[in-house]
């Protein structure tokens, strides 16, 4: 379900008069189909870790934030087209994306990990072990790069959304999924059939710099504000309070890289 709340860069200049004071309104874009980071409830509300972190930063920099959901495949073009001013959608920083948008400092590292069907009996992850296997992931994700580079003999299937990946896995059309390990949490917890489980260790690309918020290229003023807000919530305990609602481990720790894992 996609619900549009408000768009356009003009929101950044809008004012809400309250008690004689004016508060800027900031337009934020997310995906809405990547639980527990960002998702839309049955009531049409955007929720998740990304949302809570974004709201906490908005409170620190004293702006009123208005959110919208956007298709993942077009989320960078939507930012560039000024449909919103900040993207908070668990986007991983990589060299290609850095040519298109400017990123804040990271607010977590989402290591990738494989989930496999239990009936395959896989005990290890290697290019040889996964030869001929069908692996699914979301198009446009950093997992695509890892699969193309290290698993050329596997069949890779790409999907517009992660929920579609999970559905095909449940229906037996995939052997494995490679995605950010934390994105599996809710799905595995709801998997009553017990079809699938983690296999192998977590890892990140050699170029991984973490997951961050993004703004349009050259928007230094907004980038500075967002970084200041992130720094404050990480120092005053707000970040950890939010993180513990979703994850019981340190998500700022960087795991092993692909070259360390698959060398």
């Amino acid at each position: 379900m996609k619900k549009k709340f408000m768009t356009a860069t003009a929101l950044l200049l809008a004012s809400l008069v309250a008690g004689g004071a004016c508060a800027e309104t900031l337009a934020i874009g997310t995906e809405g189909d990547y639980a527990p980071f960002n998702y839309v409830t049955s009531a049409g509300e955007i929720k998740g870790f990304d949302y809570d972190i974004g709201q906490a930063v908005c409170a620190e920099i004293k702006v009123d934030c208005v959110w919208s959901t956007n298709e993942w495949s077009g989320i960078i073009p939507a930012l560039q087209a000024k449909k919103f001013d900040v993207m908070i959608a668990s986007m991983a920083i990589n060299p290609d994306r850095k040519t298109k948008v400017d990123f804040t400092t990271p607010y977590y590292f989402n290591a990738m990990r494989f989930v496999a069907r239990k009936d395959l009996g896989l005990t290890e992850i290697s290019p040889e072990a996964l030869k001929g296997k069908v692996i699914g992931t979301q198009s446009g994700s950093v997992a695509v790069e890892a699969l193309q580079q290290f698993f050329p003999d596997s069949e890779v299937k790409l999907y517009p959304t992660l929920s579609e990946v999970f559905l095909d896995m449940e229906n037996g059309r995939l052997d494995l999924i490679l995605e950010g390990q934390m994105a599996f949490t809710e799905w595995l917890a709801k998997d009553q059939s017990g079809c699938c489980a983690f296999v192998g260790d977590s890892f990140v690309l050699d170029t991984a710099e973490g997951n961050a918020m993004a703004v349009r290229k050259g928007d230094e003023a907004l980038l500075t504000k967002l970084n200041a807000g992130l720094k404050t919530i990480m120092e005053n305990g707000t970040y950890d309070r939010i993180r513990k609602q979703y994850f019981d481990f340190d998500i700022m720790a960087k795991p092993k890289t692909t070259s360390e894992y698959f060398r």
Side-chain angles (χ1 to χ4, degrees):
M1 177 181 180
K2 299 291 181 183
K3 182 175 181 180
K4 297 293 181 183
F5 293 85
M6 213 169 176
T7 57
T9 306
L11 286 171
L12 187 58
L13 303 176
S15 301
L16 296 178
V17 180
C22 292
E24 289 181 333
T25 303
L26 186 64
I28 300 179
T30 193
E31 182 191 12
D33 194 38
Y34 196 63
F37 295 97
N38 58 79
Y39 59 94
V40 179
T41 69
S42 58
E45 297 177 319
I46 298 173
K47 297 291 183 182
F49 179 74
D50 290 333
Y51 176 82
D52 290 347
I53 291 296
Q55 288 294 94
V57 169
C58 289
E60 287 298 332
I61 65 176
K62 296 180 172 54
V63 296
D64 292 305
C65 289
V66 182
W67 294 70
S68 66
T69 57
N70 305 262
E71 295 292 339
W72 179 254
S73 60
I75 200 165
I76 287 180
L79 174 63
Q80 294 170 326
K82 302 184 179 181
K83 293 184 177 179
F84 50 85
D85 301 296
V86 186
M87 182 206 309
I88 307 181
S90 281
M91 180 166 279
I93 306 168
N94 68 28
D96 177 63
R97 289 169 177 165
K98 286 168 72 173
T99 67
K100 301 171 182 176
V101 298
D102 286 337
F103 286 101
T104 63
T105 54
Y107 59 98
Y108 76 95
F109 283 90
N110 189 7
M112 290 177 282
R113 198 172 179 188
F114 282 96
V115 161
R117 297 192 62 82
K118 291 179 182 178
D119 55 18
L120 294 176
L122 287 173
T123 58
E124 65 168 314
I125 292 295
S126 68
E128 294 76 21
L130 302 193
K131 185 176 181 179
K133 298 292 189 293
V134 183
I135 307 171
T137 193
Q138 185 177 17
S139 60
S141 71
V142 293
V144 177
E145 183 178 341
L147 290 171
Q148 291 173 339
Q149 183 176 356
F150 294 99
F151 299 90
D153 296 322
S154 300
E155 180 185 346
V156 177
K157 295 184 70 174
L158 304 180
Y159 298 79
T161 66
L162 194 55
S163 58
E164 292 171 87
V165 183
F166 292 154
L167 183 61
D168 262 14
M169 187 71 160
E170 292 165 1
N171 291 330
R173 289 189 282 268
L174 295 172
D175 296 318
L176 301 98
I177 300 172
L178 178 62
E179 254 300 339
Q181 62 178 354
M182 290 177 280
F184 288 112
T185 305
E186 186 174 330
W187 174 63
L188 287 176
K190 292 179 178 178
D191 178 25
Q192 297 180 351
S193 67
C195 74
C196 313
F198 285 117
V199 178
D201 297 326
S202 59
F203 60 92
V204 294
L205 294 174
D206 291 343
T207 55
E209 299 179 50
N211 294 64
M213 304 176 185
V215 301
R216 284 182 289 280
K217 294 292 292 184
D219 198 345
E220 294 295 332
L222 181 53
L223 194 67
T224 298
K225 282 185 178 181
L226 294 170
N227 277 329
L230 274 171
K231 185 173 185 291
T232 299
I233 68 169
M234 287 183 174
E235 290 177 347
N236 67 13
T238 301
Y239 177 89
D240 270 341
R241 285 194 294 274
I242 295 171
R243 189 266 303 167
K244 289 175 182 176
Q245 295 175 30
Y246 295 89
F247 314 107
D248 58 2
F249 53 91
D250 181 9
I251 62 175
M252 283 299 291
K254 185 177 180 180
K256 65 178 69 176
T257 63
T258 45
S259 61
E260 292 171 329
Y261 195 179
F262 300 117
R263 62 186 174 186

